[in-house]
Amino acid sequence: MRLRHRRALVLIAVTTLASTAAAPVQASPRPPTPEKVPVATGYGGAVATVDLDATKVGLEVLRKGGNAVDAAVAAAATLGVTEPFSAGIGGGGFFVYYSARDRRVYTIDGREAAPMTMGETAFVDPATGLPYAFQEARVSGIAAGVPGTLATWEKALRKWGTTDLGDALRPAAKVADRGFTVDSTFRTQISDNAAAFGQFSSTSELYLPGGLPPEAGTVFRNPDLAATYRLIAKQGTGVFYRGAVARDIVDTVQHPPVADVPVGTWAYPIRPGTMALSDLARYQVRTPSPTRVSYRGYDVYGMPTPSSGGQSVGEALNILEQTDLSALTRTGALHQYLEASALAFADRNRFVGDHTPRPLLEQLLSDGFAKERACLINPAQALVKPVAPGEPDGAYGGCAAGAPSPAVTEGQSTTNLTVADRWGNVVEYTLTIEQTGGNGMVVPGRGFLLNNEMTDFNFTPTQGSAADPNLPGPGKRPRSSMAPTIVLADGRPFLAVGTPGGSTIITTVLQILVNRLDLGMTLPEAVAAARATQRNTAAVLGEAEFAPEIPGLAALGHTFAASPEIGAATGIEFLSHGRFLAAAEPVRRGGGSAGVVWPVAGS
């Protein structure tokens, strides 16, 4: 099987050389491409992603009459090419959809699932009884969960799309074949992963040709991924979950493709995993009801478990609604935001996991519970962190809290896209392979990285004598912080927003909503504004641009530590008279790309 793949790669490379005189996979400089535009206003539909190619693909689908779901899947498949260290068919995600036809919000849970052989001690070294170091766990077969991204795309298209998966994959396959221009972010992500990538022959051949990352400004091609997309387009997702691709995934997990001569050194053994063909064949997406809270007259919909995004964003909004933020000073409003975030994270860590009962989730999102939590906030003094979780028991009225529980965070790398069409349908979609570069293993001959999503489980119990909701288990899905969010006003779309960033996703989405709904910012201003994240930790992490806010907050007892970058959001707002405002990051992660089908002059 792998020999045939290598021959296929050689043939594709030879054909490419003959037609373009470029070196295999990546090489030659390309003429300058249009720069990313972070803000666009206009008609006919809108797309916002972190990548120009993905946004262009999504807009082209809309121009040809496709709907938001068609465009979202095509754009996501393209991000699997151009943002391969953050997302792709080796990973999973959460898809939130507003249907203009029935004015309802739906979700698809495409989170990766644990193999049926995975137990609670999967990340504990049997030789020592201690948990593995994170990087030892991450760069291993143990870390890879059964991917859910392809199943998500297929489900979304069958339920709400107007095209099929094959058509949705073709634009991305073209991008993978013809290549795209390497930017500094792409090169840096490879450089940062060079030690891990260099341990595997398949990964180093693709991303470290000659032992070095491709130079910025050169063209990167991935013919193996193009061929994989076309194979799936022809044979359907069965080839991925039960056929030839499934066999290659399992072989990679069980027998990692360790290079005979690695590029660089790695401090840990490369441990195999136990994923089996039956695990892939068993995988199914879920379609749970979204979370919903009412906030200052808006209906805010998000993702339920195994994501904690809907719970944490929703609970924090319920807490914040107890105070009129617009009547406070900016320092006072930010203080409330940080305290509400810490309280919501305390409850997330204690109660939220794959098997959280829905009635418990609804209690966490109840107004009564929020009032009980909000009464702990002192406008003049920050709470000592970590704060204790509350008691979502249905009997509310005091300020009682239990014993503090430690903070739990997760990897930073994910990607997000937002799409709306001329009929008023909306997609907010966050997808990931967890850590930047996933588990470091490209499936040989297939061109995509596997995820390390299983490391989102807690390696050992974190809740003292209480049950930990996020320990590994057979078939279980690890807790996520992905928070794709759709906001309705009078039953119709007003705003959709999402972001990557691990557990900072929750605070980034929350801060954007507060900026837009409470503090008078436009959506582009809300996305661009300096960020700080409080996840029930001793220190608030703040970007450099947040520095002017620190003295006032420090006077209230908040402590700070630096973070180079928090999130990389995208969003779309529905304006009057059928106009769309699409917004992406102006700077973070190299800047995002926003576009509309028919731009308004000057946008």
Side-chain angles (χ1 to χ4, degrees):
M1 180 66 71
R2 291 185 180 176
L3 181 58
R4 289 200 299 273
H5 288 159
R6 291 193 184 99
R7 287 172 176 166
L9 179 58
V10 170
L11 288 172
I12 293 170
V14 169
T15 301
T16 304
L17 281 165
S19 60
T20 67
V25 185
Q26 66 272 335
S28 60
R30 164 176 282 183
T33 57
E35 291 186 1
K36 296 177 180 178
V37 176
V39 181
T41 305
Y43 298 89
V47 180
T49 80
V50 298
D51 176 73
L52 178 62
D53 288 295
T55 296
K56 288 168 62 177
V57 164
L59 288 173
E60 187 61 22
V61 171
L62 294 178
R63 288 190 185 101
K64 292 180 176 179
N67 68 13
V69 172
D70 304 328
V73 173
T78 305
L79 288 171
V81 178
T82 59
E83 286 273 303
F85 315 119
S86 299
I89 57 175
F94 297 102
F95 191 102
V96 179
Y97 172 66
Y98 171 81
S99 168
R101 174 176 293 180
D102 54 14
R103 297 175 66 175
R104 288 184 57 191
V105 177
Y106 299 89
T107 77
I108 299 176
D109 163 15
R111 183 67 157 160
E112 300 88 338
M116 293 304 292
T117 51
M118 178 167 274
E120 286 191 357
T121 59
F123 292 107
V124 175
D125 188 340
T128 65
L130 299 174
Y132 296 128
F134 178 78
Q135 289 297 339
E136 181 175 7
R138 174 211 162 192
V139 182
S140 75
I142 307 169
V146 179
T149 291
L150 265 179
T152 299
W153 297 349
E154 182 176 55
K155 184 73 169 182
L157 289 169
R158 286 184 175 179
K159 284 177 69 71
W160 308 301
T162 68
T163 188
D164 61 22
L165 183 59
D167 286 339
L169 291 173
R170 287 187 184 97
K174 290 180 181 178
V175 174
D177 259 341
R178 74 167 184 260
F180 59 92
T181 303
V182 173
D183 61 14
S184 59
T185 299
F186 189 89
R187 176 179 167 79
T188 297
Q189 288 174 333
I190 296 175
S191 297
D192 291 346
N193 275 285
F197 285 2
Q199 304 312 300
F200 305 106
S201 56
S202 52
T203 313
S204 55
E205 286 169 7
L206 182 59
Y207 293 121
L208 294 167
L212 296 172
E215 293 290 339
T218 60
V219 176
F220 184 91
R221 300 183 177 89
N222 191 340
D224 275 349
L225 182 56
T228 301
Y229 276 174
R230 292 191 175 107
L231 178 66
I232 295 165
K234 182 179 180 181
Q235 297 188 17
T237 58
V239 73
F240 186 91
Y241 287 102
R242 294 177 296 280
V245 180
R247 291 191 290 273
D248 289 345
I249 291 172
V250 168
D251 188 47
T252 303
V253 169
Q254 295 187 2
H255 308 284
V258 177
D260 293 334
V261 182
V263 178
T265 59
W266 189 247
Y268 306 105
I270 308 297
R271 299 181 183 274
T274 60
M275 186 189 298
L277 286 170
S278 57
D279 294 313
L280 283 151
R282 183 183 292 111
Y283 185 86
Q284 291 186 334
V285 297
R286 303 168 180 170
T287 55
S289 298
T291 62
R292 175 189 168 276
V293 299
S294 177
Y295 186 70
R296 309 201 195 279
Y298 296 96
D299 291 314
V300 183
Y301 290 86
M303 197 69 214
T305 58
S307 178
S308 62
Q311 168 266 324
S312 299
V313 171
E315 181 183 332
L317 287 173
N318 284 342
I319 293 169
L320 290 171
E321 196 171 30
Q322 310 308 310
T323 303
D324 182 1
L325 299 185
S326 65
L328 301 179
T329 65
R330 179 164 177 79
T331 295
L334 288 171
H335 170 67
Q336 293 284 330
Y337 152 70
L338 294 172
E339 298 292 82
S341 298
L343 291 165
F345 261 89
D347 299 324
R348 164 202 188 262
N349 294 343
R350 172 65 187 85
F351 298 109
V352 179
D354 189 22
H355 300 322
T356 300
R358 190 69 188 223
L360 175 55
L361 181 62
E362 296 299 334
Q363 286 299 318
L364 290 166
L365 291 169
S366 68
D367 288 333
F369 183 63
K371 290 177 181 177
E372 191 171 86
R373 300 300 274 156
C375 74
L376 295 169
I377 299 176
N378 180 347
Q381 181 65 48
L383 293 162
V384 177
K385 312 299 188 304
V387 299
E391 292 291 340
D393 54 10
Y396 306 123
C399 286
S405 57
V408 181
T409 60
E410 60 200 54
Q412 296 289 308
S413 184
T414 305
T415 194
N416 187 84
L417 60 90
T418 313
V419 181
D421 63 33
R422 57 186 170 180
W423 300 283
N425 302 301
V426 186
V427 171
E428 190 63 52
Y429 183 26
T430 313
L431 58 162
T432 184
I433 58 172
E434 213 272 333
Q435 199 77 8
T436 303
N439 78 344
M441 301 179 196
V442 168
V443 178
R446 301 301 184 184
F448 62 89
L449 283 155
L450 290 177
N451 69 83
N452 65 298
E453 216 64 64
M454 299 299 96
T455 60
D456 270 355
F457 285 121
N458 297 334
F459 288 12
T460 55
T462 65
Q463 300 303 307
S465 60
D468 190 316
N470 191 42
L471 290 175
K476 194 174 178 182
R477 303 183 183 198
R479 180 174 60 207
S480 170
S481 295
M482 287 182 272
T485 301
I486 294 178
V487 180
L488 305 185
D490 299 320
R492 298 188 183 279
F494 170 69
L495 178 69
V497 66
T499 183
S503 56
T504 69
I505 289 172
I506 290 165
T507 56
T508 296
V509 169
L510 177 63
Q511 191 172 3
I512 289 171
L513 292 176
V514 168
N515 287 342
R516 177 66 189 89
L517 302 179
D518 289 296
L519 302 185
M521 296 185 190
T522 65
L523 178 60
E525 290 170 343
V527 168
R531 292 181 188 138
T533 177
Q534 169 51 271
R535 293 163 289 164
N536 201 24
T537 54
V540 178
L541 293 183
E543 295 177 323
E545 294 77 11
F546 195 78
E549 313 291 352
I550 291 178
L553 291 165
L556 296 176
H558 294 279
T559 59
F560 285 85
S563 177
E565 184 176 271
I566 299 173
T570 67
I572 292 173
E573 185 171 334
F574 284 66
L575 305 178
S576 60
H577 308 298
R579 292 176 301 144
F580 299 91
L581 169 61
E585 297 285 356
V587 177
R588 295 180 184 95
R589 201 184 277 192
S593 175
V596 292
V597 174
W598 298 309
V600 173
S603 71

